[in-house]
Amino acid sequence: MSNLRILVATKRVVDYAVKIRVNAAGSAVETANVKHSMNPFDEIGTEQAIQIKEALAKSKTGTAEVVVVSCGPAKAQETLRTALAMGADRAIHVDSEEDLQPLAVAKLLKAVVEKEKPDMVILGKQAIDDDSNQTGQMLAGLLNWPQATFASKVELGDKSMTVTREVDGGVETIKTPLPAILTTDLRLNVPRYASLPNIMKAKKKPLAKFAAADLGVDIKPRLQTLKIAEPPKRQGGKLVESVDDLVDKLKNEAKVL
Amino acid sequence: MATRLQSSLRLVARQTGATLARTPVWNRPVAWATRAAFSTKAPQFFAAPHGKVTYTADKYPYLKRDNTFKKLSEEDVTYFKSILVPSSITQDSEDLETFNVDWLNKYRGQSKLVLKPSSTEQVSKILKYCNDHKLAVVPQGGNTGLVGGGVPVFDEIVVSMSNMNTVRSFDNVSGALVCDAGCILEVLDKYLEERGYLMPLDLGAKGSCHIGGNVSTNAGGLRLLRYGSLHGTVLGLEVVLPDGTILDNLSTLRKDNTGYDLKQLFIGAEGTLGVVTGVSILAPKRPKAINVALLGMDTFDQVQAAFKRSKDELSEILSAFEFWDRAAIKLVKEHLVAGANDPLESLHNFYVLIETSGSNKDHDDEKLNTYLEGLMGDEIVQDGVVAQDTTQILNLWAIREGIPEACSKAGAVYKYDISMPVPVLYQAVEDMKARLVQSDAYGDGKLFTSVIGYGHVGDGNLHLNVAAEKFTNEATALIEPYIFEWTAGHSGSISAEHGLGVSKNNFLHYSKSASMIELMKRFKEMLDPNGIMNPYKYLPDK
């Protein structure tokens, strides 16, 4: 019988469907009064953890505890509640008003890992606001754990996992012992909706809060954003009157023929 | 190389251009070019050659061309060519088809000429000429109407508003938007989104319908519950009367009690009293917090109970309350409309989609959770989900908005849009099914394959869809006038929001008294004595 503890890291980001704008000062993306929700890759991570738990329960080969953690200001708790409503067991909020960059988050997560001692840590491959794609890898380095990134399929074995990764050339399958780091890619699963019964249950699930400062970690930002700008506006299309006209324009104006 | 490219581009243009242009945006699959040109199992109405649709005049022999209307002549075309640029005139028979056939592929006209004016002055000249020469005219917007009101019956000239699509002004203190009638609803909503506002109406056809068409049909839609009807949100109109007079009532004033409110006559007149060329509408502020929940229940009584409670506990934040039945969700799943998938584990008899919109997320979340907890605790609801991000919100709405499309893929669909007291809302579906079963016309291989009910519970508005193999007079006779008699018997309206068009004008007496119809005819005669505006529709035949 295996009893797994899975730690899932989540981040509250600007909602995927929102059209983002640069703020008036030109220093960052506008986030005031903009809809936020859980990073889509983290939703996939939460879903994966819950699926592992359900598979173990169904085959009666063990149990799993899904613990979600999020580092950020008070509003990060919204994201934790979403994860609890999907089916996670308990939540940890690492509270900080600072600008937390991937290295800082990785260090904070290392502190949480040392407290919780999970068998695997699941993160999204990247957050859709900074597209860094670093936290999982850095965490693995700090912990000296194996890492399986860009996972599109996961199979658990006895104290190990077999992961199919999406890489540039196609897919790559690797096997790593546990404990290990897993980062999720888009094709891993389709996250479930938060069902009403689970939303009701979520209210009673424990949500613990720690101040980032209390974890004894240096979270000072290492990178400074110098400039942020929108991409150049797309040139308008032109209407063509006939196919001959189209071919002429492709040849002489766009110069692609 | 250039010639091979040219000939294959021409091939794709021919095959897809005509059907694509008239296919509403939300029906177009992604990568349309390849699917349309090379798909072997193209969806029925997406690739159906127009030649397959029977002419309206042939299908309904009671319709006879009014021969006081002149037939189009070369002289007439020459005149139009003198006031419009060549690209605003369509005479090519293949291109004409998209304007002659309606979205349902149920009605097909025989117009030989489509005009696309670019200004109010051009519309005025066109109507004046047509009135002087007794040429019949059909004003057309996005051609997404469901009662055949936007397509010709015989050889009426189509006046399409698609070239008049400019936003004229927007006041971001009051929210008053002034625009051309040919602006597409979704485009206007995106324009307002950038400024923190939204259009006060929303319907499945938003990617193709024009605001002028919405006004002319007094479109209802998914948010009437929250923002009210166009009779309230339209501040002013610019209309060209049949004799060419331009009536400028484009006010942005919220309050103006000076004289008869003429614009109300044109709202919902379906183009029979004039052409709407400009609209001034009051846009509400875009809500900061939106929540959507999908619920599954067993009985319609539970749907009603949930609705009553929502008025108490959600009241001012409630922005939509839609329902659909088991037959509807089965069709949506079968035809996998727009990738919509059912998030609930088992099939339920009824589904409700609730949307709340407010200015404070925390307050709204708390209200919604309390409401849902209550429903679950009292077993009014068997199962449900709450969307956690915008993508999930869009997916839940896609299920509801995909129902009309899924229905049309089920065969020839008779669509009825009736309103009645909420308690009897679903009875119409049950009674219709019972009647068809009794006549041995219901089931696989029979005349009718399914009866589907969905709609706006909050507005007491049911969309009853009856799917048949094809539109035949025998099939029609089984359901009409039964459905209208049923509605009249329950003091309802035979057309809650779709309007009358050519489909329901002769049933008007089921919902309006003789003296009211008489007065309507007098207005029509006063404003359009030659009867050139959208003839054969709206008011009953003599």
Side-chain angles (χ1 to χ4, degrees), chain B residues 220-253:
Chain B
L222 307 159
R223 294 213 175 95
L224 190 132
L225 183 68
R226 170 67 165 257
Y227 300 117
S229 96
L230 286 170
H231 280 293
T233 53
V234 168
L235 298 173
L237 290 181
E238 180 191 79
V239 179
V240 178
L241 297 179
D243 66 359
T245 310
I246 300 176
L247 207 66
D248 181 2
N249 182 213
L250 264 185
S251 155
T252 54
L253 298 172

mmCIF file of all heavy atoms in Angstrom, chain B residues 220-253:
data_model
loop_
_atom_site.group_PDB
_atom_site.id
_atom_site.type_symbol
_atom_site.label_atom_id
_atom_site.label_comp_id
_atom_site.label_asym_id
_atom_site.label_seq_id
_atom_site.Cartn_x
_atom_site.Cartn_y
_atom_site.Cartn_z
ATOM 1 N N GLY B 220 -34.595 39.870 -28.420
ATOM 2 C CA GLY B 220 -34.561 39.712 -26.971
ATOM 3 C C GLY B 220 -33.211 39.197 -26.539
ATOM 4 O O GLY B 220 -32.294 39.953 -26.309
ATOM 5 N N GLY B 221 -33.045 37.877 -26.483
ATOM 6 C CA GLY B 221 -31.741 37.321 -26.211
ATOM 7 C C GLY B 221 -31.518 36.903 -24.773
ATOM 8 O O GLY B 221 -32.425 36.814 -23.969
ATOM 9 N N LEU B 222 -30.230 36.665 -24.479
ATOM 10 C CA LEU B 222 -29.868 36.022 -23.228
ATOM 11 C C LEU B 222 -29.846 36.952 -22.026
ATOM 12 O O LEU B 222 -29.808 36.495 -20.899
ATOM 13 C CB LEU B 222 -28.498 35.353 -23.393
ATOM 14 C CG LEU B 222 -28.417 34.404 -24.595
ATOM 15 C CD1 LEU B 222 -26.975 34.191 -25.014
ATOM 16 C CD2 LEU B 222 -29.053 33.083 -24.251
ATOM 17 N N ARG B 223 -29.819 38.266 -22.257
ATOM 18 C CA ARG B 223 -29.683 39.163 -21.096
ATOM 19 C C ARG B 223 -30.853 40.118 -20.911
ATOM 20 O O ARG B 223 -30.739 41.093 -20.171
ATOM 21 C CB ARG B 223 -28.389 39.968 -21.232
ATOM 22 C CG ARG B 223 -27.282 38.997 -21.130
ATOM 23 C CD ARG B 223 -26.034 39.445 -20.516
ATOM 24 N NE ARG B 223 -25.188 38.262 -20.435
ATOM 25 C CZ ARG B 223 -24.285 37.928 -21.329
ATOM 26 N NH1 ARG B 223 -24.073 38.715 -22.345
ATOM 27 N NH2 ARG B 223 -23.599 36.823 -21.204
ATOM 28 N N LEU B 224 -31.974 39.800 -21.552
ATOM 29 C CA LEU B 224 -33.126 40.671 -21.412
ATOM 30 C C LEU B 224 -33.553 40.740 -19.952
ATOM 31 O O LEU B 224 -34.013 41.766 -19.456
ATOM 32 C CB LEU B 224 -34.286 40.149 -22.276
ATOM 33 C CG LEU B 224 -35.461 41.099 -22.400
ATOM 34 C CD1 LEU B 224 -35.886 41.231 -23.831
ATOM 35 C CD2 LEU B 224 -36.616 40.644 -21.544
ATOM 36 N N LEU B 225 -33.353 39.618 -19.278
ATOM 37 C CA LEU B 225 -33.703 39.523 -17.860
ATOM 38 C C LEU B 225 -33.063 40.647 -17.061
ATOM 39 O O LEU B 225 -33.653 41.199 -16.132
ATOM 40 C CB LEU B 225 -33.164 38.176 -17.352
ATOM 41 C CG LEU B 225 -33.451 37.778 -15.935
ATOM 42 C CD1 LEU B 225 -34.914 37.507 -15.773
ATOM 43 C CD2 LEU B 225 -32.662 36.521 -15.582
ATOM 44 N N ARG B 226 -31.843 41.014 -17.432
ATOM 45 C CA ARG B 226 -31.084 41.990 -16.651
ATOM 46 C C ARG B 226 -31.211 43.393 -17.225
ATOM 47 O O ARG B 226 -31.365 44.361 -16.479
ATOM 48 C CB ARG B 226 -29.618 41.563 -16.660
ATOM 49 C CG ARG B 226 -28.647 42.571 -16.114
ATOM 50 C CD ARG B 226 -28.824 42.811 -14.643
ATOM 51 N NE ARG B 226 -27.677 43.505 -14.123
ATOM 52 C CZ ARG B 226 -26.723 42.935 -13.421
ATOM 53 N NH1 ARG B 226 -26.789 41.677 -13.131
ATOM 54 N NH2 ARG B 226 -25.686 43.626 -13.017
ATOM 55 N N TYR B 227 -31.107 43.535 -18.527
ATOM 56 C CA TYR B 227 -31.027 44.881 -19.084
ATOM 57 C C TYR B 227 -32.312 45.372 -19.740
ATOM 58 O O TYR B 227 -32.414 46.518 -20.124
ATOM 59 C CB TYR B 227 -29.850 44.958 -20.086
ATOM 60 C CG TYR B 227 -28.525 44.643 -19.430
ATOM 61 C CD1 TYR B 227 -27.773 43.540 -19.822
ATOM 62 C CD2 TYR B 227 -28.031 45.434 -18.397
ATOM 63 C CE1 TYR B 227 -26.564 43.237 -19.205
ATOM 64 C CE2 TYR B 227 -26.828 45.140 -17.775
ATOM 65 C CZ TYR B 227 -26.104 44.044 -18.180
ATOM 66 O OH TYR B 227 -24.910 43.746 -17.573
ATOM 67 N N GLY B 228 -33.310 44.496 -19.835
ATOM 68 C CA GLY B 228 -34.564 44.947 -20.434
ATOM 69 C C GLY B 228 -34.548 44.849 -21.942
ATOM 70 O O GLY B 228 -33.568 44.450 -22.545
ATOM 71 N N SER B 229 -35.661 45.230 -22.564
ATOM 72 C CA SER B 229 -35.774 45.074 -24.019
ATOM 73 C C SER B 229 -35.297 46.325 -24.743
ATOM 74 O O SER B 229 -35.077 47.375 -24.150
ATOM 75 C CB SER B 229 -37.220 44.759 -24.406
ATOM 76 O OG SER B 229 -37.907 45.935 -24.780
ATOM 77 N N LEU B 230 -35.159 46.197 -26.065
ATOM 78 C CA LEU B 230 -34.693 47.310 -26.882
ATOM 79 C C LEU B 230 -35.660 48.491 -26.806
ATOM 80 O O LEU B 230 -35.264 49.638 -27.007
ATOM 81 C CB LEU B 230 -34.495 46.863 -28.337
ATOM 82 C CG LEU B 230 -33.257 46.008 -28.552
ATOM 83 C CD1 LEU B 230 -33.249 45.393 -29.933
ATOM 84 C CD2 LEU B 230 -31.998 46.845 -28.365
ATOM 85 N N HIS B 231 -36.902 48.209 -26.485
ATOM 86 C CA HIS B 231 -37.849 49.318 -26.358
ATOM 87 C C HIS B 231 -37.424 50.269 -25.240
ATOM 88 O O HIS B 231 -37.821 51.427 -25.214
ATOM 89 C CB HIS B 231 -39.263 48.794 -26.068
ATOM 90 C CG HIS B 231 -39.976 48.300 -27.289
ATOM 91 N ND1 HIS B 231 -40.362 49.139 -28.307
ATOM 92 C CD2 HIS B 231 -40.366 47.064 -27.649
ATOM 93 C CE1 HIS B 231 -40.964 48.432 -29.257
ATOM 94 N NE2 HIS B 231 -40.979 47.168 -28.880
ATOM 95 N N GLY B 232 -36.608 49.745 -24.329
ATOM 96 C CA GLY B 232 -36.143 50.593 -23.234
ATOM 97 C C GLY B 232 -34.739 51.112 -23.418
ATOM 98 O O GLY B 232 -34.410 52.216 -23.011
ATOM 99 N N THR B 233 -33.888 50.282 -24.072
ATOM 100 C CA THR B 233 -32.484 50.670 -24.157
ATOM 101 C C THR B 233 -32.152 51.513 -25.383
ATOM 102 O O THR B 233 -31.117 52.177 -25.407
ATOM 103 C CB THR B 233 -31.584 49.423 -24.149
ATOM 104 O OG1 THR B 233 -32.029 48.535 -25.169
ATOM 105 C CG2 THR B 233 -31.670 48.711 -22.800
ATOM 106 N N VAL B 234 -33.014 51.496 -26.398
ATOM 107 C CA VAL B 234 -32.762 52.340 -27.571
ATOM 108 C C VAL B 234 -33.148 53.772 -27.231
ATOM 109 O O VAL B 234 -34.261 54.045 -26.794
ATOM 110 C CB VAL B 234 -33.552 51.842 -28.798
ATOM 111 C CG1 VAL B 234 -33.520 52.879 -29.908
ATOM 112 C CG2 VAL B 234 -32.977 50.536 -29.301
ATOM 113 N N LEU B 235 -32.193 54.693 -27.428
ATOM 114 C CA LEU B 235 -32.454 56.095 -27.093
ATOM 115 C C LEU B 235 -32.994 56.864 -28.288
ATOM 116 O O LEU B 235 -33.695 57.860 -28.134
ATOM 117 C CB LEU B 235 -31.160 56.766 -26.619
ATOM 118 C CG LEU B 235 -30.531 56.181 -25.366
ATOM 119 C CD1 LEU B 235 -29.174 56.822 -25.108
ATOM 120 C CD2 LEU B 235 -31.438 56.389 -24.167
ATOM 121 N N GLY B 236 -32.614 56.397 -29.481
ATOM 122 C CA GLY B 236 -33.062 57.120 -30.668
ATOM 123 C C GLY B 236 -32.762 56.333 -31.920
ATOM 124 O O GLY B 236 -31.968 55.399 -31.910
ATOM 125 N N LEU B 237 -33.432 56.707 -33.022
ATOM 126 C CA LEU B 237 -33.220 56.023 -34.297
ATOM 127 C C LEU B 237 -33.122 57.029 -35.431
ATOM 128 O O LEU B 237 -33.664 58.123 -35.348
ATOM 129 C CB LEU B 237 -34.403 55.110 -34.629
ATOM 130 C CG LEU B 237 -34.618 53.857 -33.800
ATOM 131 C CD1 LEU B 237 -35.835 53.111 -34.323
ATOM 132 C CD2 LEU B 237 -33.398 52.957 -33.838
ATOM 133 N N GLU B 238 -32.401 56.615 -36.477
ATOM 134 C CA GLU B 238 -32.461 57.362 -37.733
ATOM 135 C C GLU B 238 -33.108 56.402 -38.731
ATOM 136 O O GLU B 238 -32.614 55.289 -38.916
ATOM 137 C CB GLU B 238 -31.042 57.721 -38.181
ATOM 138 C CG GLU B 238 -30.977 58.498 -39.483
ATOM 139 C CD GLU B 238 -29.545 58.571 -39.982
ATOM 140 O OE1 GLU B 238 -29.061 57.584 -40.553
ATOM 141 O OE2 GLU B 238 -28.912 59.629 -39.785
ATOM 142 N N VAL B 239 -34.247 56.805 -39.284
ATOM 143 C CA VAL B 239 -35.009 55.900 -40.149
ATOM 144 C C VAL B 239 -35.280 56.587 -41.477
ATOM 145 O O VAL B 239 -35.554 57.783 -41.516
ATOM 146 C CB VAL B 239 -36.370 55.548 -39.495
ATOM 147 C CG1 VAL B 239 -37.167 54.625 -40.392
ATOM 148 C CG2 VAL B 239 -36.173 54.920 -38.132
ATOM 149 N N VAL B 240 -35.188 55.839 -42.566
ATOM 150 C CA VAL B 240 -35.609 56.385 -43.860
ATOM 151 C C VAL B 240 -36.989 55.825 -44.153
ATOM 152 O O VAL B 240 -37.193 54.611 -44.189
ATOM 153 C CB VAL B 240 -34.624 55.993 -44.980
ATOM 154 C CG1 VAL B 240 -35.117 56.532 -46.316
ATOM 155 C CG2 VAL B 240 -33.242 56.546 -44.673
ATOM 156 N N LEU B 241 -37.960 56.720 -44.346
ATOM 157 C CA LEU B 241 -39.323 56.285 -44.606
ATOM 158 C C LEU B 241 -39.467 55.825 -46.053
ATOM 159 O O LEU B 241 -38.625 56.153 -46.892
ATOM 160 C CB LEU B 241 -40.284 57.460 -44.325
ATOM 161 C CG LEU B 241 -40.300 57.938 -42.877
ATOM 162 C CD1 LEU B 241 -41.260 59.105 -42.712
ATOM 163 C CD2 LEU B 241 -40.674 56.801 -41.931
ATOM 164 N N PRO B 242 -40.519 55.073 -46.345
ATOM 165 C CA PRO B 242 -40.686 54.542 -47.707
ATOM 166 C C PRO B 242 -40.648 55.599 -48.802
ATOM 167 O O PRO B 242 -40.235 55.311 -49.917
ATOM 168 C CB PRO B 242 -42.065 53.863 -47.653
ATOM 169 C CG PRO B 242 -42.224 53.474 -46.230
ATOM 170 C CD PRO B 242 -41.529 54.525 -45.431
ATOM 171 N N ASP B 243 -41.028 56.837 -48.496
ATOM 172 C CA ASP B 243 -41.004 57.839 -49.562
ATOM 173 C C ASP B 243 -39.652 58.541 -49.646
ATOM 174 O O ASP B 243 -39.494 59.507 -50.378
ATOM 175 C CB ASP B 243 -42.117 58.877 -49.364
ATOM 176 C CG ASP B 243 -41.881 59.718 -48.109
ATOM 177 O OD1 ASP B 243 -40.872 59.482 -47.406
ATOM 178 O OD2 ASP B 243 -42.701 60.606 -47.824
ATOM 179 N N GLY B 244 -38.671 58.079 -48.889
ATOM 180 C CA GLY B 244 -37.333 58.664 -48.958
ATOM 181 C C GLY B 244 -37.048 59.683 -47.867
ATOM 182 O O GLY B 244 -35.903 60.112 -47.703
ATOM 183 N N THR B 245 -38.056 60.087 -47.112
ATOM 184 C CA THR B 245 -37.830 61.075 -46.041
ATOM 185 C C THR B 245 -36.902 60.487 -44.980
ATOM 186 O O THR B 245 -37.080 59.359 -44.539
ATOM 187 C CB THR B 245 -39.159 61.420 -45.334
ATOM 188 O OG1 THR B 245 -40.124 61.748 -46.319
ATOM 189 C CG2 THR B 245 -38.985 62.585 -44.372
ATOM 190 N N ILE B 246 -35.901 61.289 -44.592
ATOM 191 C CA ILE B 246 -34.990 60.832 -43.533
ATOM 192 C C ILE B 246 -35.499 61.371 -42.210
ATOM 193 O O ILE B 246 -35.578 62.588 -42.005
ATOM 194 C CB ILE B 246 -33.558 61.343 -43.781
ATOM 195 C CG1 ILE B 246 -33.042 60.811 -45.120
ATOM 196 C CG2 ILE B 246 -32.640 60.890 -42.642
ATOM 197 C CD1 ILE B 246 -31.672 61.350 -45.504
ATOM 198 N N LEU B 247 -35.885 60.441 -41.327
ATOM 199 C CA LEU B 247 -36.402 60.840 -40.018
ATOM 200 C C LEU B 247 -35.251 60.752 -39.031
ATOM 201 O O LEU B 247 -34.791 59.674 -38.682
ATOM 202 C CB LEU B 247 -37.497 59.843 -39.633
ATOM 203 C CG LEU B 247 -38.605 60.305 -38.700
ATOM 204 C CD1 LEU B 247 -39.448 61.361 -39.400
ATOM 205 C CD2 LEU B 247 -39.485 59.114 -38.323
ATOM 206 N N ASP B 248 -34.754 61.934 -38.582
ATOM 207 C CA ASP B 248 -33.613 61.915 -37.685
ATOM 208 C C ASP B 248 -34.061 62.065 -36.242
ATOM 209 O O ASP B 248 -34.348 63.155 -35.784
ATOM 210 C CB ASP B 248 -32.642 63.033 -38.054
ATOM 211 C CG ASP B 248 -31.417 63.031 -37.157
ATOM 212 O OD1 ASP B 248 -31.307 62.143 -36.272
ATOM 213 O OD2 ASP B 248 -30.554 63.903 -37.330
ATOM 214 N N ASN B 249 -34.148 60.956 -35.520
ATOM 215 C CA ASN B 249 -34.539 60.977 -34.127
ATOM 216 C C ASN B 249 -33.391 60.372 -33.325
ATOM 217 O O ASN B 249 -33.576 59.696 -32.333
ATOM 218 C CB ASN B 249 -35.833 60.173 -33.957
ATOM 219 C CG ASN B 249 -36.353 60.169 -32.523
ATOM 220 O OD1 ASN B 249 -36.933 59.197 -32.065
ATOM 221 N ND2 ASN B 249 -36.118 61.244 -31.788
ATOM 222 N N LEU B 250 -32.134 60.642 -33.801
ATOM 223 C CA LEU B 250 -30.966 60.043 -33.160
ATOM 224 C C LEU B 250 -30.577 60.851 -31.939
ATOM 225 O O LEU B 250 -29.601 61.608 -31.964
ATOM 226 C CB LEU B 250 -29.781 60.021 -34.122
ATOM 227 C CG LEU B 250 -29.562 58.730 -34.879
ATOM 228 C CD1 LEU B 250 -28.299 58.838 -35.692
ATOM 229 C CD2 LEU B 250 -29.478 57.546 -33.943
ATOM 230 N N SER B 251 -31.356 60.690 -30.882
ATOM 231 C CA SER B 251 -31.045 61.448 -29.684
ATOM 232 C C SER B 251 -30.165 60.600 -28.773
ATOM 233 O O SER B 251 -30.169 59.379 -28.873
ATOM 234 C CB SER B 251 -32.368 61.769 -29.001
ATOM 235 O OG SER B 251 -32.182 61.975 -27.641
ATOM 236 N N THR B 252 -29.388 61.225 -27.885
ATOM 237 C CA THR B 252 -28.668 60.440 -26.872
ATOM 238 C C THR B 252 -29.206 60.761 -25.492
ATOM 239 O O THR B 252 -28.592 60.447 -24.479
ATOM 240 C CB THR B 252 -27.158 60.729 -26.902
ATOM 241 O OG1 THR B 252 -26.985 62.134 -26.782
ATOM 242 C CG2 THR B 252 -26.518 60.231 -28.166
ATOM 243 N N LEU B 253 -30.366 61.418 -25.480
ATOM 244 C CA LEU B 253 -30.932 61.815 -24.192
ATOM 245 C C LEU B 253 -31.631 60.640 -23.529
ATOM 246 O O LEU B 253 -32.349 59.874 -24.151
ATOM 247 C CB LEU B 253 -31.954 62.940 -24.402
ATOM 248 C CG LEU B 253 -31.388 64.221 -24.997
ATOM 249 C CD1 LEU B 253 -32.521 65.181 -25.337
ATOM 250 C CD2 LEU B 253 -30.414 64.859 -24.015
#
